[in-house]
Amino acid sequence: MSTESEKPLVSLIIVAYQQERYVREAVRSALEQTYEPLEIILSDDSSNDRTFDIMEEEVKAYGGPHTIILNRNEKNIGLVRHVELAISKSHGDFIVTQAGDDISLPQRAELLVAAWKNPTPVDLVCSDVLVIDEGGAVIQEGWHSPIIDPLSLDEAVSRGSCYALGCAAGYSRSLFDDFSPMSDTVYQEDNVLAFRAWVRNGVRVLPNMLVEYRKHSDNIFHGKETKQHKMRFVRHIKNSCGIARDRLAAWDLCNQPNDERRNELVRQERYYAYRSAAVESNLLGVLKLAIKGLGNGLSLKNALGLIKLYISVRLFM
């Protein structure tokens, strides 16, 4: 950790899984960062291809100033747990994350950390991206939707949604150290971390395109569909439940007021908890859930929606 008079230590973390086609470029882009002092964590989530071997090759060939930590998980633990584990092995005050198929431009860490506390401190800084294809050709300049949305805590609460573009973000270490691990069902960590930042010191957007985000057939969110639709749908319901639970926990941890905004977070957490239970229930169980939900503050529309959800999962997927 750095002192107030020093440049902060920054940790750039690459998390990879089954990305042998792209990881060499990803690692080299980290090694070419202009910012110092920089610690680079290269972590592989138990790939069964050459992802980790390529990481090792690049480290052995490197003779530059950055500190490098190599990690290979003994078993696959999934994206969110992998990110948290890699961060636990780091020492930086500011955390920059990168996937094993993306490319950081050389000044990425330098520009993100410069915006971190200037003109005022924030907990999350996010840049724009260039979207590239499998071969590295640019197919889109700039993200297709807002980089961070929404841009106020009140709106994040009222809308029940909040995200920052995870592939292009940097975070205060405190967003990990001062909070409990994310819920086991969460796979969209950028939804959780953006809300944590809003309940603390806020977020900042840079217009610079500092990451080449690779869109290809094996992307988690933009790739081909490799699982049954029903399984993906149920997973998304549980993900939403975990996000809602983590938002409420963040609100309380940061000593936000016990006001109508908190009541709204409680309503959202309750709603998603009922939906999560409904997709795993049987017909009698979901009817009981709907009745219980009515007595526990769910609207008639949302209670009936549990039955509709159950039918959709069982009959139409």
Side-chain angles (χ1 to χ4, degrees):
M1 300 292 183
S2 62
T3 66
E4 288 296 322
S5 61
E6 298 173 333
K7 290 177 66 177
L9 175 64
V10 173
S11 295
L12 193 159
I13 295 174
I14 293 183
V15 289
Y17 176 66
Q18 304 288 83
Q19 291 165 325
E20 64 178 1
R21 292 178 60 190
Y22 314 113
V23 73
R24 194 179 302 277
E25 283 185 281
V27 171
R28 288 180 177 178
S29 76
L31 298 176
E32 291 169 358
Q33 291 297 299
T34 59
Y35 182 84
E36 296 181 44
L38 183 68
E39 168 190 74
I40 299 172
I41 313 294
L42 304 177
S43 187
D44 172 60
D45 197 16
S46 193
S47 298
N48 56 27
D49 63 4
R50 293 195 67 250
T51 296
F52 186 73
D53 296 334
I54 293 169
M55 286 178 164
E56 283 189 310
E57 290 169 6
E58 291 300 313
V59 171
K60 288 178 181 177
Y62 179 66
H66 305 319
T67 300
I68 303 173
I69 297 174
L70 264 173
N71 174 66
R72 186 179 195 179
N73 297 337
E74 292 185 3
K75 63 179 181 179
N76 182 267
I77 58 177
L79 177 60
V80 170
R81 288 290 171 259
H82 189 193
V83 170
E84 291 179 327
L85 176 65
I87 288 172
S88 74
K89 297 180 179 296
S90 71
H91 307 88
D93 301 299
F94 187 70
I95 309 293
V96 179
T97 56
Q98 179 180 340
D101 53 357
D102 297 333
I103 299 170
S104 289
L105 273 62
Q107 288 187 302
R108 182 187 177 203
E110 185 173 345
L111 292 176
L112 288 179
V113 76
W116 178 36
K117 293 190 175 181
N118 293 298
T120 56
V122 294
D123 279 324
L124 190 157
V125 183
C126 196
S127 75
D128 209 335
V129 301
L130 288 165
V131 183
I132 61 175
D133 65 14
E134 296 187 15
V138 175
I139 57 177
Q140 180 177 303
E141 292 192 3
W143 195 238
H144 64 276
S145 58
I147 300 165
I148 293 175
D149 186 48
L151 289 176
S152 76
L153 176 58
D154 286 349
E155 191 177 1
V157 172
S158 64
R159 285 170 45 180
S161 64
C162 180
Y163 78 91
L165 189 56
C167 66
Y171 309 96
S172 293
R173 185 178 195 88
S174 59
L175 290 187
F176 300 92
D177 288 354
D178 295 349
F179 293 81
S180 298
M182 290 178 240
S183 299
D184 289 337
T185 58
V186 170
Y187 65 81
Q188 290 176 302
E189 81 288 351
D190 43 6
N191 286 248
V192 173
L193 295 173
F195 192 84
R196 289 180 182 180
W198 272 124
V199 296
R200 295 264 294 231
N201 294 316
V203 302
R204 181 162 292 131
V205 179
L206 293 182
N208 314 66
M209 289 181 280
L210 301 179
V211 174
E212 293 182 0
Y213 169 76
R214 196 184 303 270
K215 187 178 287 189
H216 57 86
S217 59
D218 294 321
N219 283 131
I220 293 177
F221 299 111
H222 300 289
K224 61 187 177 183
E225 298 181 354
T226 57
K227 296 183 179 180
Q228 294 180 356
H229 183 60
K230 175 180 174 180
M231 293 175 63
R232 293 196 309 274
F233 183 76
V234 170
R235 184 184 179 214
H236 183 71
I237 294 292
K238 293 184 171 298
N239 171 63
S240 297
C241 180
I243 290 170
R245 186 180 302 120
D246 282 357
R247 286 176 181 160
L248 180 58
W251 185 273
D252 290 340
L253 182 68
C254 295
N255 297 313
Q256 292 287 342
N258 187 6
D259 56 13
E260 180 53 33
R261 292 173 299 174
R262 186 183 188 279
N263 292 339
E264 177 58 29
L265 290 173
V266 170
R267 285 191 288 268
Q268 292 169 9
E269 192 277 335
R270 182 188 301 132
Y271 168 67
Y272 285 112
Y274 273 105
R275 284 173 62 83
S276 180
V279 297
E280 289 191 330
S281 188
N282 54 34
L283 180 57
L284 179 59
V286 80
L287 292 173
K288 290 180 178 179
L289 279 172
I291 295 170
K292 181 180 178 181
L294 284 172
N296 199 23
L298 284 188
S299 67
L300 177 60
K301 177 181 178 181
N302 286 341
L304 292 175
L306 298 178
I307 301 172
K308 181 179 179 180
L309 177 66
Y310 169 84
I311 294 172
S312 296
V313 170
R314 292 298 185 277
L315 299 182
F316 302 121
M317 294 186 182

